[in-house]
CSV table of all heavy atoms in Angstrom, one decimal:
chain,number,residue,atom,x,y,z
A,1,THR,N,-2.0,-23.0,-77.0
A,1,THR,CA,-1.6,-23.4,-75.7
A,1,THR,C,-0.7,-24.6,-75.9
A,1,THR,O,0.4,-24.9,-75.4
A,1,THR,CB,-2.7,-23.9,-74.8
A,1,THR,OG1,-3.5,-22.6,-74.5
A,1,THR,CG2,-2.3,-24.5,-73.5
A,2,THR,N,-1.2,-25.6,-76.8
A,2,THR,CA,-0.4,-26.8,-77.2
A,2,THR,C,1.0,-26.5,-77.8
A,2,THR,O,1.9,-27.0,-77.2
A,2,THR,CB,-1.3,-27.7,-78.2
A,2,THR,OG1,-2.5,-28.0,-77.6
A,2,THR,CG2,-0.5,-29.0,-78.4
A,3,ILE,N,1.0,-25.6,-78.7
A,3,ILE,CA,2.2,-25.1,-79.3
A,3,ILE,C,3.1,-24.4,-78.4
A,3,ILE,O,4.3,-24.6,-78.3
A,3,ILE,CB,1.9,-24.4,-80.7
A,3,ILE,CG1,1.2,-25.2,-81.7
A,3,ILE,CG2,3.2,-23.8,-81.3
A,3,ILE,CD1,2.0,-26.5,-82.2
A,4,GLY,N,2.4,-23.6,-77.6
A,4,GLY,CA,3.1,-22.6,-76.7
A,4,GLY,C,4.0,-23.5,-75.6
A,4,GLY,O,5.1,-23.2,-75.3
A,5,LYS,N,3.3,-24.6,-75.1
A,5,LYS,CA,4.0,-25.3,-74.1
A,5,LYS,C,5.2,-26.0,-74.7
A,5,LYS,O,6.2,-26.1,-74.2
A,5,LYS,CB,3.0,-26.4,-73.6
A,5,LYS,CG,2.0,-25.9,-72.7
A,5,LYS,CD,1.0,-26.9,-72.2
A,5,LYS,CE,0.0,-26.5,-71.3
A,5,LYS,NZ,-1.0,-27.6,-70.9
A,6,GLN,N,5.0,-26.5,-76.0
A,6,GLN,CA,6.1,-27.2,-76.7
A,6,GLN,C,7.3,-26.2,-76.9
A,6,GLN,O,8.4,-26.5,-76.8
A,6,GLN,CB,5.6,-27.9,-77.9
A,6,GLN,CG,4.8,-29.0,-77.7
A,6,GLN,CD,5.4,-30.1,-76.8
A,6,GLN,OE1,6.6,-30.5,-77.1
A,6,GLN,NE2,4.7,-30.6,-75.8
A,7,LEU,N,6.9,-25.0,-77.4
A,7,LEU,CA,8.0,-24.1,-77.8
A,7,LEU,C,8.7,-23.6,-76.6
A,7,LEU,O,10.0,-23.5,-76.7
A,7,LEU,CB,7.2,-22.8,-78.5
A,7,LEU,CG,8.0,-21.8,-79.1
A,7,LEU,CD1,8.7,-22.3,-80.3
A,7,LEU,CD2,7.1,-20.7,-79.7
A,8,ALA,N,8.0,-23.4,-75.4
A,8,ALA,CA,8.7,-23.0,-74.2
A,8,ALA,C,9.6,-24.1,-73.7
A,8,ALA,O,10.8,-23.8,-73.3
A,8,ALA,CB,7.7,-22.7,-73.1
A,9,LEU,N,9.2,-25.3,-73.7
A,9,LEU,CA,10.0,-26.4,-73.4
A,9,LEU,C,11.3,-26.5,-74.3
A,9,LEU,O,12.4,-26.5,-73.8
A,9,LEU,CB,9.2,-27.7,-73.5
A,9,LEU,CG,9.8,-29.0,-72.9
A,9,LEU,CD1,9.9,-28.8,-71.4
A,9,LEU,CD2,8.9,-30.1,-73.3
A,10,HIS,N,11.1,-26.4,-75.5
A,10,HIS,CA,12.1,-26.5,-76.5
A,10,HIS,C,13.2,-25.3,-76.2
A,10,HIS,O,14.4,-25.6,-76.5
A,10,HIS,CB,11.6,-26.3,-78.0
A,10,HIS,CG,12.7,-26.5,-79.0
A,10,HIS,ND1,13.3,-27.6,-79.4
A,10,HIS,CD2,13.2,-25.5,-79.8
A,10,HIS,CE1,14.1,-27.3,-80.3
A,10,HIS,NE2,14.1,-26.1,-80.6
A,11,HIS,N,12.8,-24.2,-75.9
A,11,HIS,CA,13.7,-23.0,-75.7
A,11,HIS,C,14.0,-22.8,-74.2
A,11,HIS,O,14.6,-21.7,-74.0
A,11,HIS,CB,13.1,-21.7,-76.4
A,11,HIS,CG,13.2,-21.8,-77.9
A,11,HIS,ND1,14.2,-21.7,-78.6
A,11,HIS,CD2,12.0,-22.2,-78.8
A,11,HIS,CE1,13.9,-21.7,-79.8
A,11,HIS,NE2,12.7,-22.1,-80.0
A,12,ASN,N,13.6,-23.7,-73.4
A,12,ASN,CA,13.8,-23.5,-72.0
A,12,ASN,C,13.3,-22.2,-71.4
A,12,ASN,O,14.1,-21.4,-70.6
A,12,ASN,CB,15.3,-23.7,-71.6
A,12,ASN,CG,15.5,-24.1,-70.2
A,12,ASN,OD1,14.7,-24.6,-69.6
A,12,ASN,ND2,16.7,-23.6,-69.7
A,13,LEU,N,12.0,-21.8,-71.7
A,13,LEU,CA,11.4,-20.6,-71.4
A,13,LEU,C,10.2,-20.9,-70.5
A,13,LEU,O,9.7,-22.0,-70.6
A,13,LEU,CB,11.0,-19.7,-72.5
A,13,LEU,CG,12.1,-19.1,-73.4
A,13,LEU,CD1,11.5,-18.5,-74.6
A,13,LEU,CD2,12.9,-18.0,-72.6
A,14,ASN,N,9.8,-19.9,-69.7
A,14,ASN,CA,8.5,-20.0,-68.9
A,14,ASN,C,7.4,-20.0,-69.9
A,14,ASN,O,7.4,-19.3,-70.9
A,14,ASN,CB,8.4,-18.9,-68.0
A,14,ASN,CG,7.5,-19.0,-67.0
A,14,ASN,OD1,7.1,-20.0,-66.6
A,14,ASN,ND2,6.9,-17.8,-66.6
A,15,PHE,N,6.3,-20.8,-69.7
A,15,PHE,CA,5.1,-20.7,-70.5
A,15,PHE,C,4.0,-20.2,-69.7
A,15,PHE,O,3.8,-20.6,-68.6
A,15,PHE,CB,4.7,-22.2,-71.0
A,15,PHE,CG,3.3,-22.2,-71.6
A,15,PHE,CD1,3.2,-21.7,-72.9
A,15,PHE,CD2,2.2,-22.7,-71.0
A,15,PHE,CE1,2.0,-21.7,-73.4
A,15,PHE,CE2,1.0,-22.6,-71.5
A,15,PHE,CZ,0.9,-22.1,-72.9
A,16,ILE,N,3.3,-19.3,-70.2
A,16,ILE,CA,2.2,-18.6,-69.6
A,16,ILE,C,1.0,-18.6,-70.5
A,16,ILE,O,1.0,-18.2,-71.5
A,16,ILE,CB,2.5,-17.1,-69.2
A,16,ILE,CG1,3.8,-17.0,-68.4
A,16,ILE,CG2,1.3,-16.4,-68.7
A,16,ILE,CD1,4.2,-15.6,-68.2
A,17,ASP,N,-0.1,-19.3,-70.0
A,17,ASP,CA,-1.3,-19.3,-70.8
A,17,ASP,C,-2.3,-18.2,-69.9
A,17,ASP,O,-2.5,-18.3,-68.7
A,17,ASP,CB,-2.1,-20.6,-70.5
A,17,ASP,CG,-3.4,-20.6,-71.2
A,17,ASP,OD1,-4.2,-20.0,-70.9
A,17,ASP,OD2,-3.5,-21.5,-72.2
A,18,ILE,N,-2.6,-17.1,-70.6
A,18,ILE,CA,-3.3,-16.1,-70.1
A,18,ILE,C,-4.5,-16.5,-69.3
A,18,ILE,O,-4.9,-16.0,-68.2
A,18,ILE,CB,-3.6,-14.9,-71.0
A,18,ILE,CG1,-2.3,-14.2,-71.7
A,18,ILE,CG2,-4.5,-13.8,-70.4
A,18,ILE,CD1,-1.5,-13.4,-70.6
A,19,ASP,N,-5.3,-17.4,-70.0
A,19,ASP,CA,-6.6,-17.9,-69.3
A,19,ASP,C,-6.2,-18.6,-68.1
A,19,ASP,O,-6.9,-18.4,-67.0
A,19,ASP,CB,-7.3,-18.9,-70.2
A,19,ASP,CG,-8.1,-18.0,-71.3
A,19,ASP,OD1,-8.1,-16.9,-71.3
A,19,ASP,OD2,-8.5,-18.8,-72.3
A,20,ASN,N,-5.2,-19.4,-68.0
A,20,ASN,CA,-4.9,-20.2,-66.8
A,20,ASN,C,-4.4,-19.1,-65.7
A,20,ASN,O,-4.7,-19.3,-64.5
A,20,ASN,CB,-3.7,-21.1,-66.9
A,20,ASN,CG,-4.2,-22.3,-67.8
A,20,ASN,OD1,-5.3,-22.6,-67.9
A,20,ASN,ND2,-3.2,-23.1,-68.3
A,21,LYS,N,-3.6,-18.1,-66.2
A,21,LYS,CA,-3.2,-17.1,-65.2
A,21,LYS,C,-4.4,-16.4,-64.6
A,21,LYS,O,-4.4,-16.2,-63.2
A,21,LYS,CB,-2.3,-16.1,-66.0
A,21,LYS,CG,-1.5,-15.1,-65.1
A,21,LYS,CD,-0.1,-15.4,-65.3
A,21,LYS,CE,0.8,-14.7,-64.4
A,21,LYS,NZ,1.6,-15.4,-63.5
A,22,ILE,N,-5.5,-16.1,-65.3
A,22,ILE,CA,-6.6,-15.5,-64.8
A,22,ILE,C,-7.4,-16.4,-63.9
A,22,ILE,O,-7.8,-16.0,-62.8
A,22,ILE,CB,-7.6,-15.2,-66.0
A,22,ILE,CG1,-6.9,-13.8,-66.7
A,22,ILE,CG2,-9.1,-14.6,-65.6
A,22,ILE,CD1,-7.6,-13.4,-67.9
A,23,GLU,N,-7.5,-17.6,-64.3
A,23,GLU,CA,-8.2,-18.6,-63.3
A,23,GLU,C,-7.4,-18.9,-62.1
A,23,GLU,O,-8.0,-18.9,-61.0
A,23,GLU,CB,-8.2,-20.1,-64.1
A,23,GLU,CG,-9.3,-20.0,-65.2
A,23,GLU,CD,-9.4,-21.2,-65.9
A,23,GLU,OE1,-8.5,-22.2,-65.9
A,23,GLU,OE2,-10.4,-21.6,-66.5
A,24,GLU,N,-6.1,-18.8,-62.1
A,24,GLU,CA,-5.3,-18.9,-60.8
A,24,GLU,C,-5.6,-17.7,-60.0
A,24,GLU,O,-5.7,-17.7,-58.8
A,24,GLU,CB,-3.9,-19.0,-61.2
A,24,GLU,CG,-3.5,-20.5,-61.7
A,24,GLU,CD,-2.1,-20.4,-62.2
A,24,GLU,OE1,-1.3,-19.6,-62.0
A,24,GLU,OE2,-1.8,-21.4,-63.0
A,25,SER,N,-5.5,-16.5,-60.6
A,25,SER,CA,-5.6,-15.3,-59.8
A,25,SER,C,-7.0,-15.0,-59.3
A,25,SER,O,-7.1,-14.3,-58.2
A,25,SER,CB,-5.0,-14.1,-60.6
A,25,SER,OG,-6.0,-13.7,-61.6
A,26,THR,N,-8.0,-15.4,-60.0
A,26,THR,CA,-9.3,-15.2,-59.4
A,26,THR,C,-9.9,-16.4,-58.7
A,26,THR,O,-11.0,-16.3,-58.0
A,26,THR,CB,-10.3,-14.9,-60.5
A,26,THR,OG1,-10.4,-16.0,-61.5
A,26,THR,CG2,-9.9,-13.6,-61.3
A,27,ASN,N,-9.3,-17.5,-58.9
A,27,ASN,CA,-9.8,-18.8,-58.3
A,27,ASN,C,-11.1,-19.2,-58.9
A,27,ASN,O,-12.0,-19.7,-58.2
A,27,ASN,CB,-9.9,-18.6,-56.7
A,27,ASN,CG,-9.5,-20.0,-56.1
A,27,ASN,OD1,-8.9,-20.9,-56.8
A,27,ASN,ND2,-9.9,-20.2,-54.9
A,28,LYS,N,-11.4,-18.8,-60.2
A,28,LYS,CA,-12.6,-19.1,-60.8
A,28,LYS,C,-12.3,-19.6,-62.2
A,28,LYS,O,-11.3,-19.1,-62.9
A,28,LYS,CB,-13.5,-17.8,-60.9
A,28,LYS,CG,-14.0,-17.3,-59.6
A,28,LYS,CD,-14.9,-16.1,-59.8
A,28,LYS,CE,-15.4,-15.8,-58.3
A,28,LYS,NZ,-16.4,-14.7,-58.3
């Protein structure tokens, strides 16, 4: 997650953390 956020920022790409996506979609 830490590296992914930085990599996405550096390359101007969207960052997706699968765990966060699941938490958002289930609200749990």
